[in-house]
Amino acid sequence: MDRIRGEFIDIVEWTDDSRDTIVWRFPRYENEIKMGARLVVRESQTAVFVNEGRIADVFVPGTYVLETQNLPILSTLKGWKYGFHSPFKAEVYFVNTRQFTDLKWGTQHPITLRDPEFGMVRLRAFGGFAVQIVDPAGLLRELAGTDPRFRTEEVREYLRQMIVGRLANALATANIPVLDLATHQDALGTRLAGVLTHELAPVGVSVPTFIIENISLPPEVEAAIDTRARMAIAGDLDQYTRFQTANAIGDAARNPGGAGEGIGLGMGMAIGQQLVGRQLADGLAPQPRPAHAAPASPAAPVGGPPPLPAQQQTQWYVAVNGTQHGPYEPSALPGLVGTGVLTRASLVWRAGMSAWLPADQVPELTQALASVPPPLPPQA
């Protein structure tokens, strides 16, 4: 029946019922397209006419009459010496020229970059893109070939690998800090779309739209950024330390037990030391004389000793991530130790020291660092 129907049917058309077909070959018995056949090309389609193995013409939307060397019925009768098979073959390939927008991309492995603020960082990214056929003849020659139904899944992995390969170079040459990448995603997407369109031109494919949906950092880098943001919001490191101490006491209260009670007790002692230090400093400060106070008695001795001077406490400075913080009173140091801001390896300085030294090399800080375990000895 296909052979008989092929002798009479002369309307060549394609109504696409899928969303992923790029090229579709019109089915005809032994590829015999007859002379005078009507070719109907709809919008968002292009027809490529292949006659005797070569691309003869490319048809844009419209209705055409095909002229070939095959004659209806008579050509088959004349082909008796070839076993009733006509030697003149003709094919029509319909190419879908609309945009295919359901394509996704992503990095299977992180991309390593050098950032001016964080140093070496690893990035992952994902998003979507659209492709469109701009040269149907080039697509048939380079990618589709004689495939009767060429789908997007056959080129998706090829396009994804090309995108990931160009993404690393685009991010490295953009010279954009990691924290500012989110504000430049549109510009990077436009740049990559142009680069990919230029490289895919020989195969007749363009990338009109390229979307970077997200660029993510490793979890440890994101945690460091969150910590820095919380410290910036707190403003003063001393206030941030007290804030962390209060949170730790609340967590210890919600988790009763030996460890929780020990942590709460240590934090409470640190806060108590800070309060006592502040009260002592306030008590030693000169008190203002009330306005209604009685004048000093003329009989009061004038040769008595002067008041004791206010005791000045040593103030410490701590280096955190290469930045100087302080000054801190000695009573605040246990709180810094409890939150991990002050460790044995932290650089500290006070008035009278010639240079910054690690905290474990300063005798005055021995008591404050008593709760910090020393580094593990090297394993043999």
Side-chain angles (χ1 to χ4, degrees), residues 289-301:
R289 183 176 180 180
H292 59 278
S297 173

Side-chain angles (χ1 to χ4, degrees), residues 336-374:
L336 299 179
V337 173
T339 56
V341 176
L342 177 60
T343 64
R344 293 180 178 271
S346 299
L347 295 177
V348 297
W349 182 89
R350 60 166 173 75
M353 294 177 58
S354 59
W356 291 79
L357 293 176
D360 58 355
Q361 297 182 13
V362 180
E364 294 94 326
L365 301 181
T366 302
Q367 183 178 0
L369 296 172
S371 61
V372 180

Side-chain angles (χ1 to χ4, degrees), residues 7-329:
E7 302 291 346
F8 296 97
I9 297 177
D10 60 353
I11 299 178
V12 181
E13 62 180 352
W14 178 41
T15 54
D16 184 16
D17 57 353
S18 69
R19 300 296 300 172
D20 61 349
T21 302
I22 301 177
V23 179
W24 182 78
R25 186 177 65 192
F26 182 78
R28 178 55 61 90
Y29 179 76
E30 294 188 352
N31 298 329
E32 296 177 1
I33 304 298
K34 308 304 180 181
M35 177 182 292
R38 297 299 190 271
L39 173 64
V40 180
V41 183
R42 291 174 169 81
E43 293 291 341
S44 75
Q45 293 180 355
T46 299
V48 180
F49 181 56
V50 179
N51 187 29
E52 299 184 15
R54 294 185 177 181
I55 295 178
D57 204 350
V58 178
F59 298 90
V60 297
T63 302
Y64 307 89
V65 178
L66 300 180
E67 300 290 342
T68 72
Q69 298 184 37
N70 288 345
L71 300 176
I73 301 180
L74 184 61
S75 63
T76 303
L77 295 178
K78 286 184 176 182
W80 61 270
K81 63 179 179 179
Y82 302 100
F84 294 97
H85 294 281
S86 172
F88 306 110
K89 305 297 181 182
E91 303 167 333
V92 175
Y93 291 86
F94 287 91
V95 180
N96 205 332
T97 58
R98 69 173 180 84
Q99 291 190 24
F100 294 88
T101 59
D102 57 344
L103 302 177
K104 304 294 183 181
W105 65 271
T107 55
Q108 293 183 349
H109 304 284
I111 300 172
T112 303
L113 296 177
R114 187 185 302 276
D115 184 72
E117 186 172 358
F118 297 101
M120 302 296 291
V121 295
R122 295 174 299 163
L123 302 178
R124 291 183 180 271
F126 63 89
F129 65 101
V131 297
Q132 189 173 23
I133 308 303
V134 294
D135 184 6
L139 177 71
L140 289 179
R141 284 191 295 262
E142 302 296 334
L143 285 182
T146 58
D147 191 346
R149 184 181 288 268
F150 185 69
R151 298 176 180 272
T152 56
E153 62 184 12
E154 300 181 48
V155 294
R156 180 181 288 112
E157 183 61 21
Y158 166 71
L159 295 175
R160 190 198 66 81
Q161 293 176 356
M162 180 175 289
I163 288 171
V164 174
R166 304 303 177 270
L167 178 65
N169 181 67
L171 292 176
T173 58
N175 295 324
I176 301 175
V178 170
L179 296 180
D180 297 333
L181 283 176
T183 60
H184 293 80
Q185 289 183 179
D186 291 341
L188 288 173
T190 302
R191 177 181 176 183
L192 284 171
V195 172
L196 294 172
T197 298
H198 176 73
E199 296 196 4
L200 293 173
V203 298
V205 180
S206 70
V207 181
T209 304
F210 188 88
I211 300 174
I212 300 178
E213 189 172 344
N214 182 57
I215 300 177
S216 59
L217 295 166
E220 57 272 15
V221 179
E222 293 181 351
I225 294 175
D226 293 340
T227 301
R228 179 175 297 184
R230 291 197 297 268
M231 292 175 63
I233 293 174
D236 184 8
L237 186 58
D238 190 14
Q239 296 180 2
Y240 176 75
T241 302
R242 291 196 292 270
F243 172 73
Q244 291 288 83
T245 303
N247 289 338
I249 294 175
D251 294 339
R254 289 190 295 269
N255 296 278
E261 293 175 358
I263 294 174
L265 180 60
M267 296 300 180
M269 293 176 62
I271 294 178
Q273 291 176 0
Q274 294 184 12
L275 293 177
V276 171
R278 290 175 179 270
Q279 290 176 0
L280 289 175
D282 295 341
L284 294 176
Q287 300 295 329
R289 183 176 180 180
H292 59 278
S297 173
V302 296
L308 292 174
Q311 182 180 0
Q312 296 182 355
Q313 296 187 358
T314 303
Q315 294 183 330
W316 294 89
Y317 295 85
V318 182
V320 180
N321 295 328
T323 305
Q324 173 182 317
H325 293 270
Y328 300 106
E329 299 176 358

